Amino acid sequence: MAGVTGEPRIGDVYGELLRDTLAVATGIGPRPLAGGRVPRPVIEIIERDDGLINGAPAAQYLDGPQEWQPHDHRAVDRVRGATLDIGVGAGRIALLLQERGVPVTGLDVSPGALAVCRRRGVRELVHGTVDEHAASGRRYDTFLLLGNNLGLLEGRERAPAFLAALAAMANPGAQVIAQGTDPYGTRDPVHTGYHEHNRRRGRLGGQLRLRLRYRELATPWFDYLVCSPDELADLVRGTAWHLADIDDRDAPYYLATLRLPG
Amino acid sequence: MAGVTGEPRIGDVYGELLRDTLAVATGIGPRPLAGGRVPRPVIEIIERDDGLINGAPAAQYLDGPQEWQPHDHRAVDRVRGATLDIGVGAGRIALLLQERGVPVTGLDVSPGALAVCRRRGVRELVHGTVDEHAASGRRYDTFLLLGNNLGLLEGRERAPAFLAALAAMANPGAQVIAQGTDPYGTRDPVHTGYHEHNRRRGRLGGQLRLRLRYRELATPWFDYLVCSPDELADLVRGTAWHLADIDDRDAPYYLATLRLPG
């Protein structure tokens, strides 16, 4: 029976969240209602393994370019050639690239997110992880990790394999455009204490252990990396990539550009 | 050390939430920022004991009368005499009553909520539960349970004691104006399954077991009652109160009026 075990069910959190967000935005399809009547904004809930919890309105996943942060615009202006949008979400970046005639493929592990992308008009979509997609033989000139998706590097263990999977799909001279956030500007003890605790366990300070929740669903716990540009430089060293540029005009957010030899 | 135990800390969730909500609304005082820079809307997170979780923007606690639901207006129009606003929150109802010259006292168990009320101009405030306040000897003509606060009846065990505490503070002919929500219109298995599970445990179907969370804080788990007008009628039977009226013009929301003999 549904919903009596005390723990959320593992499921496609992003898929359900984005489907409902699209239904609220378009007025089409079943959508969450408070008291069965009043439209309820869709909220993404992010739980950290120390008990910290945050909610964020999911409507931002549908934002058009006029609502984006400035660094998102600078990121898409750096795109060239065949592009893989990693963690395509609801497709906001891929849709603009398509409009500009860029050959873009959206990759996501969430089947529901891909369904939302398809309904919104994203044409090239692939289900899976970067490792799975690397086996396809497809080649790209630009890899996008926007919306904080530099976090997919996870930490010291995963980062080399993740970057190797991108290199395996890369044309000569390919680039990665990744958006990160430097987490170390805060004095909030909830965060500085967490960073210290992480370091004592041999993890990077901002190596967050998270799960996402939406209604009765949760993701499994996963690592998501929030790191400084210096930490990123360390992670990139020894891989096929080199860190070509950090644009931190919107600090603490930054855009990192990694490049392969041409 | 803060934030590394895996479970949220028990604390004044509503107080912290409302203080931050006021800071975001006024631009005064420290307030939550994403990446230390972008203002972050304050989200109240409600977790049910089956793993269901929902987020709701907390800004509604500051809503002025022009943003209220119609039943809130009909509720305040029913007020007469000395009034106790139970679960005063950020004081939105109490502030309008004060403006109308109604002698109103705000009661809340959250010290932080009372601090927000004070800063917003609510003059009469009491910290505590209805049981604690009943010992004060104060007397009222109207008790308000708005914003779904009929839920404070909790269930079959607590309701008679809660209503007795109100009766102990009541002038002859006093009334309770309580806003509830009939939970049984849904076909969502997440909810209907929960209702069934509750009934099998001898609880009312909509006797929710909840906790609130905000950042690193949580409340203890508590019962909060979402019941039909018929279930309410059963709960009121045998108490000093009688159920004088149900206004369900905004169904599934309703306003229940209870009265004492004059």
Side-chain angles (χ1 to χ4, degrees):
Chain A
M1 199 187 70
V4 293
T5 64
E7 267 293 304
R9 189 156 56 79
I10 301 294
D12 183 6
V13 169
Y14 261 117
E16 299 283 305
L17 178 91
L18 294 177
R19 188 197 55 202
D20 283 358
T21 304
L22 185 61
V24 168
T26 59
I28 299 167
R31 49 198 180 283
L33 299 170
R37 214 187 53 144
V38 180
R40 183 193 263 289
V42 177
I43 306 286
E44 175 183 355
I45 292 174
I46 303 148
E47 200 173 9
R48 204 169 66 182
D49 66 344
D50 60 342
L52 182 72
I53 200 160
N54 271 305
Q60 63 187 6
Y61 287 108
L62 306 183
D63 276 354
Q66 67 289 351
E67 296 150 314
W68 293 359
Q69 300 275 330
H71 51 78
D72 278 336
H73 290 282
R74 298 201 300 278
V76 297
D77 289 346
R78 284 176 176 239
V79 165
R80 52 177 182 65
T83 297
L84 185 66
D85 184 353
I86 300 169
V88 65
R92 65 183 180 92
I93 302 284
L95 284 168
L96 180 68
L97 291 175
Q98 263 185 198
E99 235 174 70
R100 292 189 180 178
V102 173
V104 59
T105 300
L107 180 72
D108 214 292
V109 295
S110 161
L114 296 175
V116 165
C117 280
R118 206 167 290 118
R119 281 174 51 203
R120 297 182 78 211
V122 181
R123 288 186 296 263
E124 284 283 326
L125 292 162
V126 173
H127 179 250
T129 63
V130 291
D131 314 82
E132 287 160 358
H133 190 44
S136 70
R138 293 278 303 271
R139 291 287 177 277
Y140 300 95
D141 302 295
T142 298
F143 300 91
L144 290 177
L145 290 164
L146 301 186
N148 257 324
N149 271 340
L150 181 61
L152 296 176
L153 294 185
E154 293 184 14
R156 287 191 194 95
E157 276 192 37
R158 171 71 177 144
F162 186 94
L163 292 172
L166 302 195
M169 290 186 275
N171 286 323
Q175 59 177 353
V176 177
I177 315 288
Q179 189 253 307
T181 305
D182 185 335
Y184 303 124
T186 182
R187 286 180 198 167
D188 184 337
V190 170
H191 294 303
T192 58
Y194 188 79
H195 298 159
E196 278 169 39
H197 176 72
N198 260 339
R199 288 189 190 106
R200 279 202 300 272
R201 292 187 293 170
R203 293 160 64 89
L204 290 168
Q207 188 169 349
L208 312 182
R209 187 97 185 138
L210 304 177
R211 65 175 178 177
L212 306 176
R213 296 178 65 176
Y214 181 61
R215 293 181 38 92
E216 76 276 25
L217 298 181
T219 65
W221 291 94
F222 61 92
D223 281 352
Y224 197 73
L225 182 62
V226 187
C227 70
S228 67
D230 282 351
E231 289 173 325
L232 177 62
D234 283 347
L235 292 172
V236 172
R237 205 164 290 137
T239 73
W241 301 90
H242 76 275
L243 179 54
D245 185 62
I246 293 285
D247 164 357
D248 61 358
R249 274 185 278 167
D250 300 334
Y253 305 118
Y254 61 85
L255 287 177
T257 303
L258 314 186
R259 284 227 175 80
L260 284 187
Chain B
M1 199 188 71
V4 293
T5 63
E7 267 294 303
R9 188 156 56 80
I10 300 295
D12 183 5
V13 169
Y14 260 117
E16 299 283 306
L17 178 91
L18 294 177
R19 187 197 57 201
D20 284 358
T21 304
L22 186 61
V24 168
T26 60
I28 299 166
R31 50 200 179 281
L33 300 170
R37 215 186 55 145
V38 180
R40 184 193 262 290
V42 177
I43 305 286
E44 175 184 355
I45 292 174
I46 304 146
E47 199 173 9
R48 204 169 66 182
D49 66 344
D50 60 342
L52 183 72
I53 201 161
N54 271 305
Q60 65 187 7
Y61 287 109
L62 305 183
D63 277 353
Q66 67 289 353
E67 294 150 316
W68 292 358
Q69 300 275 331
H71 51 79
D72 278 335
H73 289 281
R74 298 200 302 275
V76 297
D77 290 346
R78 284 176 176 238
V79 166
R80 49 176 185 66
T83 297
L84 185 66
D85 184 355
I86 300 168
V88 65
R92 63 182 180 93
I93 302 284
L95 284 168
L96 180 69
L97 292 175
Q98 264 186 198
E99 237 174 69
R100 292 189 181 177
V102 174
V104 59
T105 300
L107 180 72
D108 214 293
V109 295
S110 161
L114 295 175
V116 165
C117 280
R118 206 168 289 117
R119 281 174 51 204
R120 296 182 78 210
V122 181
R123 288 185 296 263
E124 285 284 326
L125 291 163
V126 173
H127 178 249
T129 63
V130 291
D131 313 80
E132 287 159 358
H133 190 44
S136 71
R138 294 278 303 271
R139 292 287 177 276
Y140 300 94
D141 302 295
T142 298
F143 300 92
L144 289 177
L145 291 165
L146 301 186
N148 257 324
N149 271 341
L150 180 62
L152 297 175
L153 293 185
E154 292 185 14
R156 287 192 196 96
E157 278 191 36
R158 171 71 178 144
F162 187 93
L163 292 172
L166 302 195
M169 292 186 274
N171 286 323
Q175 60 178 352
V176 177
I177 315 288
Q179 188 254 307
T181 305
D182 186 335
Y184 303 123
T186 182
R187 287 180 197 168
D188 183 338
V190 169
H191 294 303
T192 57
Y194 188 79
H195 298 159
E196 277 169 40
H197 176 70
N198 260 339
R199 288 190 192 105
R200 277 202 301 272
R201 291 187 294 169
R203 293 159 65 89
L204 290 169
Q207 189 170 348
L208 312 182
R209 187 96 185 139
L210 303 178
R211 65 174 178 177
L212 306 176
R213 295 178 66 177
Y214 181 61
R215 291 181 41 90
E216 76 277 24
L217 298 182
T219 65
W221 291 96
F222 61 92
D223 281 351
Y224 198 72
L225 182 63
V226 187
C227 70
S228 67
D230 283 351
E231 288 172 326
L232 176 62
D234 283 346
L235 292 172
V236 172
R237 204 164 292 138
T239 73
W241 301 90
H242 76 274
L243 179 53
D245 185 61
I246 293 284
D247 164 358
D248 62 357
R249 273 185 281 168
D250 300 334
Y253 306 119
Y254 60 88
L255 287 177
T257 303
L258 314 185
R259 284 226 175 79
L260 284 186

